[in-house]
Amino acid sequence: DEASVRIIPKQPGLTLIEGVQTISYGVVLTRPPKKFVSVEAQATPLDDRKITDSKGVLLNGNKGDEGVTLLFDRSNWFIEQIIEVSTDDDNVTEGNIAYSIKHNVTEGFATDGDDFDSIAVPSFIVDVIDNETPNLVITPNSHELIAAETGEWDKDYNSYKIVLSKQPTADVEVFIHDASGQLTTSSASFIFSSDLSLIHISEPTRR
């Protein structure tokens, strides 16, 4: 096989509510290397805001700009290693921020032409929802939403979660409407209680 690094998402969504949720992904090589291989992941914000009291995104507990490094060799190249993406509750109102997680690969101690040196690894964007700011957060239960005409489809493929980013001071009612008129949902509306921010699961189906 060609020398490459596989990124394996563990959840369908790439959205985090600050201080509440985590997502993770696996990293593995496609074939044994000649030397050890280091895969470094770093997270940086996509805008220029400087929030001095915020740690931003954490990768395996490390600040995103410091990053995390995974090591592979001939004994473990096929064993998936996990990177957990999380955020601290910083009590800072900074608004929602998107972070880019990028990867750098080196085989051996230097980039000198080895098979895994500087190979391209997919990067991705993680949206961090500020829990000091009221937001309605929608997350699919699968990597792709599919609504069958009969409604007989795996629940994970035709449903999504809706949750509030912070506890409301009064009841919040959410209405669901398909402007095309082709879809129906399990609920036309629902209420988040002010004393409990429940996760609501909606299941759209085709008319």
Side-chain angles (χ1 to χ4, degrees):
D1 291 339
E2 182 181 356
S4 63
V5 175
R6 289 188 61 204
I7 301 296
I8 307 168
K10 298 301 179 182
Q11 295 85 20
L14 294 175
T15 300
L16 291 174
I17 297 178
E18 179 186 87
V20 176
Q21 297 172 311
T22 62
I23 59 175
S24 59
Y25 62 96
V27 181
V28 69
L29 306 188
T30 57
R31 67 172 177 80
K34 296 176 182 177
K35 307 172 185 176
F36 72 89
V37 171
S38 60
V39 179
E40 181 185 13
Q42 287 186 310
T44 55
L46 293 182
D47 59 26
D48 296 327
R49 279 179 287 176
K50 302 295 182 182
I51 308 298
T52 57
D53 294 329
S54 174
K55 295 181 180 179
V57 160
L58 304 176
L59 302 178
N60 286 359
N62 299 325
K63 291 181 64 175
D65 56 356
E66 296 174 357
V68 62
T69 300
L70 307 178
L71 296 177
F72 296 90
D73 57 26
R74 296 186 66 84
S75 69
N76 73 342
W77 64 272
F78 54 91
I79 299 175
E80 188 177 307
Q81 298 190 44
I82 301 297
I83 294 180
E84 186 176 85
V85 185
S86 62
T87 60
D88 274 344
D89 187 356
D90 54 21
N91 297 313
V92 177
T93 303
E94 68 262 27
N96 302 339
I97 302 178
Y99 288 82
S100 174
I101 298 181
K102 297 181 179 181
H103 305 84
N104 183 58
V105 183
T106 304
E107 184 171 357
F109 290 101
T111 302
D112 52 11
D114 291 316
D115 291 345
F116 282 92
D117 281 340
S118 301
I119 60 174
V121 179
S123 60
F124 52 88
I125 306 299
V126 173
D127 294 311
V128 176
I129 308 300
D130 183 17
N131 68 351
E132 276 75 45
T133 305
N135 289 280
L136 191 69
V137 183
I138 299 175
T139 306
N141 285 328
S142 66
H143 296 282
E144 183 178 10
L145 277 176
I146 302 174
E149 289 187 356
T150 62
E152 296 177 358
W153 199 270
D154 190 309
K155 185 176 178 180
D156 287 339
Y157 286 95
N158 75 334
S159 62
Y160 56 91
K161 296 183 179 73
I162 302 175
V163 65
L164 304 184
S165 61
K166 62 180 295 184
Q167 186 169 347
T169 57
D171 290 356
V172 174
E173 187 169 8
V174 177
F175 296 91
I176 302 176
H177 173 65
D178 171 37
S180 70
Q182 298 185 42
L183 297 175
T184 61
T185 59
S186 57
S187 301
S189 66
F190 55 91
I191 295 176
F192 288 98
S193 171
S194 59
D195 58 0
L196 184 62
S197 294
L198 295 174
I199 293 178
H200 179 83
I201 298 177
S202 185
E203 298 175 8
T205 57
R206 295 186 63 88
R207 291 185 186 274

